[in-house]
Amino acid sequence: MRSDSVKCGTAQAPHRSLFNALGYTKEERERPMIGIVSSFNEIVPGHMNLDKITEAVKMGVAMAGGTPVVFPAIAVCDGIAMGHIGMKYSLVTRDLIADSTECMAMAHGFDGLVMIPNCDKNVPGLLMAAARVNIPTIFVSGGPMLAGHVHGRKRSLSSMFEAVGELAAGKITQEDLEEFEEKVCPTCGSCSGMYTANSMNCLTEALGMGLKGNGTIPAVYSERIRLAKHAGMKIMELVEKNIRPRDIMTEKAFMNALTVDMALGCSTNSMLHLPAIANEAGVDLNLDIANELSAKTPNLCHLAPAGPTYMEDLNEAGGVYAVMNELCKKDLLYTDLITVSGKTVAENIAGCVNRDPEVIRPIDNPYSPTGGIAVLKGNLAPDSGVVKRSAVVPEMMVHEGPARVFDCEEDAIAAIKGGKIVAGDVVVIRYEGPKGGPGMREMLNPTSAIAGMGLGSSVALITDGRFSGASRGASIGHVSPEAAVGGPIALVEEGDIISIDIPNNKLDMKVSDEELAARRAKWQPKEQKLTGYLARYRELVTSGNRGAILKVPGKD
């Protein structure tokens, strides 16, 4: 066993004395030692129940003959961090989580790991760590929140942010806003739509790193506790068979994940996280492949914010495996790949039927014949820009309008709420990229304000930052190269005509090459005085089209 390096032999007598100090018995030391990475905390609603998940995993590990050892991982609540300096610290935690988990796993000689994440950067950070450490690992997440109910309709956090814009536009009263505030987030769990957290938790199933239901079983269901016990038991089988993350997260597995992503209509943040996870697994995941897969993958789900259904509805309809079963009807997945269940994809999804064709469209009756995400390119985004196509209204799929340019999120929000943005405008928010932010802030506040002001079907938003999975509309993020490194988005001027053509994957500004060259000659980098982790992050982070991964010394 790998843990023998800290438990066995004369030279390890000091190590055993420290295990004695921890209260471990000789019998416990002789069993495989399983690290349980608990992301429990009392500030993230999706994590407040992870103590119960952790206890269930511990029981499962012990029942199957292992010794469970719990250690922590951090997590940020993107909703609470939204709209202020806190959002600069969201994406950056992904790498802190991966690095600290690597440190703990390697320092203590664990034989296997059970990852217990739930929200946004926590899931990809732990997937990155799993690929990097490459010892037997399984994921069991905290589960999604139940949808709220306001005025007889299901609602979620995106409804709450949009309600703020509706109040600013005089469409609702302060009392209405307070009712939303009380009711949209009724339980613990990751927010109830197909936002980033739920997208990534669903993709753990598609990658083969989580058991059936990991992405969709609601946080408050006792079924999630049972799932956690099964995950604890299953890790012992993975240790015995030495099935490791890189055996599972192969290039074909990432193709499956991207395909399921397109069918589900996942958050655009998946286009940051999947390349970063793949990088750790030794797989080169170029975003160009996203459009190739999207062209042949029908979009089968319109969960909030794209439509009126929620994670609880997807769970009742059969979950991720039912979506995968639909995709297999047109041979769109690799089904011979091994997963953490110890079985192949084909064996996992056998018999997982679609129980609600209104929630999961049949493969022959999709919402659209192409996938939920599109990668755009053009003279405004030479490397890439990303849009959640499934959440864009038909009239905004092709759009031209004058640029309204802002060098930070706060200035854009003030203009939107001040009534200075009108139908047809294209809001450009720059210097919010991985280096420019730094930290690539999510733009849920401006997109929600646009929707709440009634401009969601007539105004586009383009940024080198990113969007919450709760954003909807013609919201194009991850524009690369970013403004901070002199990307073309830094050269846009007020009134320039921006051309968006999502069906043809195009994003351009109608400015001549000669004019752009003249502007570039005058451009000066924006100065920022930074300290602490953000300063180090800015020096190391790469562009959005590369997944905002950190540079490794000696590599480009």
Side-chain angles (χ1 to χ4, degrees):
M1 290 187 294
R2 188 170 177 272
S3 59
D4 287 350
S5 63
V6 297
K7 297 187 305 188
C8 299
T10 303
Q12 278 66 44
H15 305 65
R16 290 192 293 275
S17 71
L18 293 168
F19 279 105
N20 288 337
L22 288 163
Y24 286 109
T25 64
K26 179 175 180 291
E27 291 79 4
E28 286 175 299
R29 290 200 314 268
E30 289 175 347
R31 296 175 174 183
M33 195 164 66
I34 306 300
I36 299 174
V37 189
S38 173
S39 304
F40 168 76
N41 64 46
E42 295 183 340
I43 189 62
V44 183
H47 290 234
M48 62 177 283
N49 65 321
L50 297 191
D51 55 343
K52 295 179 176 60
I53 301 294
T54 300
E55 288 303 312
V57 169
K58 287 175 66 177
M59 184 174 292
V61 169
M63 287 167 61
T67 297
V69 184
V70 178
F71 65 89
I74 64 169
V76 162
C77 176
D78 277 23
I80 294 174
M82 194 73 65
H84 57 94
I85 191 172
M87 183 46 68
K88 293 179 184 287
Y89 286 89
S90 173
L91 179 62
V92 305
T93 65
R94 187 186 70 182
D95 297 276
L96 283 174
I97 291 162
D99 292 348
S100 59
T101 303
E102 174 194 359
C103 292
M104 289 295 289
M106 299 305 292
H108 299 104
F110 292 109
D111 297 299
L113 296 170
V114 182
M115 306 293 199
I116 308 177
N118 209 31
C119 289
D120 295 48
K121 314 309 163 299
N122 188 238
V123 185
L126 290 179
L127 281 165
M128 289 165 67
R132 190 186 300 174
V133 174
N134 200 35
I135 61 175
T137 303
I138 191 169
F139 276 67
V140 56
S141 303
M145 184 184 292
L146 293 178
H149 290 80
V150 182
H151 299 160
R153 290 178 57 193
K154 286 186 177 182
R155 299 286 192 169
S156 62
L157 185 65
S158 57
S159 310
M160 183 72 251
F161 276 91
E162 290 179 13
V164 174
E166 290 173 355
L167 179 67
K171 294 184 176 184
I172 62 172
T173 65
Q174 183 66 36
E175 289 74 23
D176 292 327
L177 185 72
E178 290 171 3
E179 183 176 5
F180 271 85
E181 187 177 330
E182 291 293 324
K183 294 180 177 179
V184 295
C185 295
T187 73
C188 64
S190 47
C191 296
S192 56
M194 187 55 80
Y195 310 150
T196 305
N198 292 326
S199 294
M200 295 310 302
N201 283 325
C202 286
L203 294 181
T204 62
E205 291 189 57
L207 274 171
M209 291 298 294
L211 297 175
K212 177 186 177 184
N214 185 57
T216 60
I217 298 170
V220 294
Y221 283 15
S222 297
E223 185 182 359
R224 175 124 332 237
I225 301 295
R226 299 199 300 272
L227 179 72
K229 291 176 183 176
H230 282 129
M233 290 185 272
K234 186 59 69 173
I235 188 60
M236 299 306 296
E237 181 184 327
L238 295 173
V239 168
E240 181 183 354
K241 294 179 178 178
N242 197 28
I243 298 175
R244 303 183 181 209
R246 292 191 195 179
D247 300 326
I248 295 169
M249 289 194 283
T250 62
E251 183 176 1
K252 289 181 178 179
F254 282 101
M255 295 303 103
N256 280 356
L258 275 171
T259 300
V260 172
D261 187 324
M262 298 298 172
L264 285 173
C266 288
S267 164
T268 52
N269 282 312
S270 63
M271 295 295 105
L272 277 177
H273 300 321
L274 286 175
I277 299 160
N279 178 68
E280 297 290 354
V283 174
D284 182 16
L285 193 62
N286 191 308
L287 281 190
D288 290 341
I289 195 68
N291 284 340
E292 294 178 31
L293 292 175
S294 181
K296 61 182 181 181
T297 305
N299 177 226
L300 305 181
C301 299
H302 266 192
L303 283 85
T309 54
Y310 294 81
M311 294 305 297
E312 62 202 62
D313 302 310
L314 179 60
N315 188 62
E316 293 302 315
V320 176
Y321 280 8
V323 173
M324 293 173 74
N325 220 344
E326 288 289 342
L327 293 171
C328 283
K329 292 175 182 178
K330 290 197 173 179
D331 297 322
L332 294 174
L333 296 176
Y334 296 100
T335 60
D336 59 344
L337 310 181
I338 194 66
T339 71
V340 290
S341 70
K343 300 177 181 178
T344 65
V345 171
E347 291 173 311
N348 285 344
I349 67 175
C352 296
V353 298
N354 180 0
R355 295 194 291 265
D356 191 339
E358 295 302 313
V359 176
I360 304 171
R361 287 283 186 91
I363 194 79
D364 293 323
N365 183 34
Y367 281 102
S368 70
T370 53
I373 288 177
V375 176
L376 313 183
K377 290 188 178 184
N379 71 349
L380 183 52
D383 291 338
S384 70
V386 179
V387 64
K388 188 171 184 175
R389 172 165 44 195
S390 60
V392 179
V393 294
E395 54 267 38
M396 289 298 289
M397 295 294 280
V398 177
H399 178 75
E400 283 192 4
R404 305 298 308 280
V405 183
F406 305 93
D407 285 352
C408 67
E409 175 190 6
E410 288 82 357
D411 290 350
I413 292 171
I416 295 165
K417 291 186 176 178
K420 296 179 181 179
I421 303 301
V422 299
D425 284 348
V426 178
V427 176
V428 177
I429 306 177
R430 61 192 180 191
Y431 295 102
E432 291 284 8
K435 286 183 179 293
M440 209 176 184
R441 287 196 289 179
E442 288 186 348
M443 302 292 156
L444 180 56
N445 271 342
T447 58
S448 298
I450 287 169
M453 299 284 284
L455 298 170
S457 60
S458 59
V459 169
L461 195 155
I462 297 171
T463 182
D464 53 6
R466 59 195 178 90
F467 293 107
S468 165
S471 292
R472 61 188 176 98
S475 303
I476 302 166
H478 311 188
V479 169
S480 302
E482 61 174 295
V485 299
I489 192 171
L491 309 178
V492 180
E493 294 184 357
E494 188 82 6
D496 286 346
I497 299 301
I498 306 295
S499 174
I500 301 166
D501 186 347
I502 295 172
N504 290 304
N505 308 116
K506 290 287 189 179
L507 179 61
D508 293 291
M509 51 178 161
K510 292 195 167 182
V511 179
S512 70
D513 292 344
E514 292 77 14
E515 173 62 18
L516 288 176
R519 293 181 188 180
R520 182 173 299 284
K522 300 177 192 174
W523 177 78
Q524 294 291 326
K526 185 179 178 183
E527 293 295 325
Q528 278 196 84
K529 291 184 179 179
L530 297 171
T531 59
Y533 183 56
L534 288 183
R536 298 198 302 276
Y537 183 86
R538 181 175 182 172
E539 289 302 309
L540 293 174
V541 72
T542 61
S543 65
N545 70 301
R546 295 181 60 189
I549 61 174
L550 301 187
K551 289 182 287 189
V552 176
K555 295 184 179 180
D556 60 11

